[in-house]
Amino acid sequence: MQLCLDVGNSHIFGGIFDGTDLSLRFRHPTALHSTSDELGIFLKTVLRENNIDLSNITDIGISSVVPSLDYSLRSACIKYFNINPLFINADIKTGLTIQIDNPHELGADLICDAVAASQHFPSKNIIIISMGTATTYSAISKNREFLGVSISPGMRLSMEALQGNTAKLFAVEIKKPTSVLGKNTTASIQSGLYFGQLGVFRELTQRISEEYFTDDSPIIIGCGGFSQLFEKEGVFTAWMPDLILQGLKHILDLNRGLTA
């Protein structure tokens, strides 16, 4: 079994692969100052509560965009699992050609998403919309070239900006509104967040396609925490909530010599 961890700014999204089967998914809030013991005990507890024998974990892969947690995560894996984890970065085998100015700036999460997408849709141009703390738009060519990224504030971050920088606006539940025009403050904020994000989807995917994919229309993949809200809007060719874990597993296999 393989333990894969996506460490984001808001949550740690984890999964257990039993062969090719993603047999368990779990989430935990990201705490920036967690110790190795806190992380290790959490991981052992969630596995035991799901009837997974810790001795069956043979490998661990980590995609982290929170550098302050990397030391504690590595220490937790070594102390509680006796496994030195593989951290994803641009220096390891990915099967991608990364065509950006400084590949080391590219987030591990974006690398994992791109690898999984290229596996699912070989020989296809791809745009990945990943909705986390930030919303990212990654472009990958049919030749497995990572062409670049566009980054905008995520929905929760946008809401927090309104709440923190206006006198009368407040936090709301992020959900799909029933109308584009709100009849109260809550509905008005929800509308702006939802339809504003939807408009950015359409504008950016169109511009990326016109600039980079004139030869062949791209597959558009939605993933990340809030992507499910937009599953029925017709902006995604495919909605793939486990994309990052699948990419993490493939990179883990590739670098451990388990796959070609």
Side-chain angles (χ1 to χ4, degrees):
M1 289 184 171
Q2 294 166 302
L3 171 60
C4 293
L5 299 173
D6 164 35
V7 184
N9 291 291
S10 300
H11 289 92
I12 297 174
F13 179 34
I16 294 290
F17 283 91
D18 187 357
T20 59
D21 179 39
L22 181 56
S23 59
L24 173 67
R25 302 168 183 81
F26 58 87
R27 288 186 180 271
H28 188 269
T30 300
L32 298 182
H33 303 292
S34 295
T35 66
S36 60
D37 290 321
E38 289 172 323
L39 292 166
I41 290 169
F42 162 71
L43 291 172
K44 289 187 72 170
T45 300
V46 76
L47 298 187
R48 284 175 172 164
E49 287 297 315
N50 286 278
N51 301 312
I52 293 175
D53 187 341
L54 272 63
S55 65
N56 289 333
I57 304 298
T58 59
D59 220 342
I60 301 174
I62 299 176
S63 164
S64 172
V65 295
V66 188
S68 63
L69 281 181
D70 290 357
Y71 179 84
S72 293
L73 283 162
R74 185 182 298 278
S75 298
C77 294
I78 293 171
K79 181 175 181 179
Y80 287 89
F81 294 88
N82 198 30
I83 295 173
N84 188 17
L86 176 71
F87 278 81
I88 308 305
N89 58 59
D91 292 328
I92 64 176
K93 295 178 184 177
T94 62
L96 300 174
T97 302
I98 300 176
Q99 296 188 341
I100 65 174
D101 294 341
N102 182 1
H104 294 99
E105 290 183 355
L106 188 61
D109 54 340
L110 303 185
I111 294 174
C112 291
D113 284 343
V115 167
S118 296
Q119 288 293 311
H120 280 284
F121 300 99
S123 303
K124 295 289 187 180
N125 296 323
I126 301 167
I127 298 173
I128 303 169
I129 304 175
S130 179
M131 301 186 65
T133 302
T135 299
T136 59
Y137 304 79
S138 303
I140 301 94
S141 78
K142 61 178 64 177
N143 298 317
R144 300 177 67 88
E145 300 162 319
F146 195 107
L147 302 176
V149 187
S150 181
I151 303 175
S152 65
M155 294 183 75
R156 188 174 300 282
L157 201 59
S158 296
M159 183 189 69
E160 290 172 351
L162 287 174
Q163 178 188 10
N165 293 281
T166 59
K168 297 183 70 175
L169 299 183
F170 44 80
V172 299
E173 179 186 1
I174 297 175
K175 65 178 186 178
K176 182 177 180 177
T178 57
S179 172
V180 70
L181 294 179
K183 302 299 185 181
N184 54 60
T185 302
T186 296
S188 299
I189 295 172
Q190 289 169 334
S191 172
L193 291 173
Y194 184 87
F195 290 110
Q197 190 85 164
L198 185 59
V200 175
F201 287 170
R202 290 172 172 157
E203 179 70 14
L204 277 175
T205 54
Q206 179 182 333
R207 286 183 176 269
I208 292 169
S209 299
E210 290 173 352
E211 188 169 344
Y212 288 95
F213 298 138
T214 54
D215 60 327
D216 194 9
S217 297
I219 300 293
I220 300 175
I221 300 174
C223 61
F226 289 109
S227 60
Q228 186 175 9
L229 289 175
F230 300 91
E231 183 186 1
K232 307 297 186 183
E233 288 290 354
V235 289
F236 304 145
T237 309
W239 176 61
M240 305 180 71
D242 298 324
L243 190 69
I244 191 166
L245 295 182
Q246 293 166 355
L248 223 173
K249 177 194 165 31
H250 183 77
I251 297 172
L252 187 58
D253 288 348
L254 192 63
N255 284 270
R256 299 307 202 207
L258 301 176
T259 189

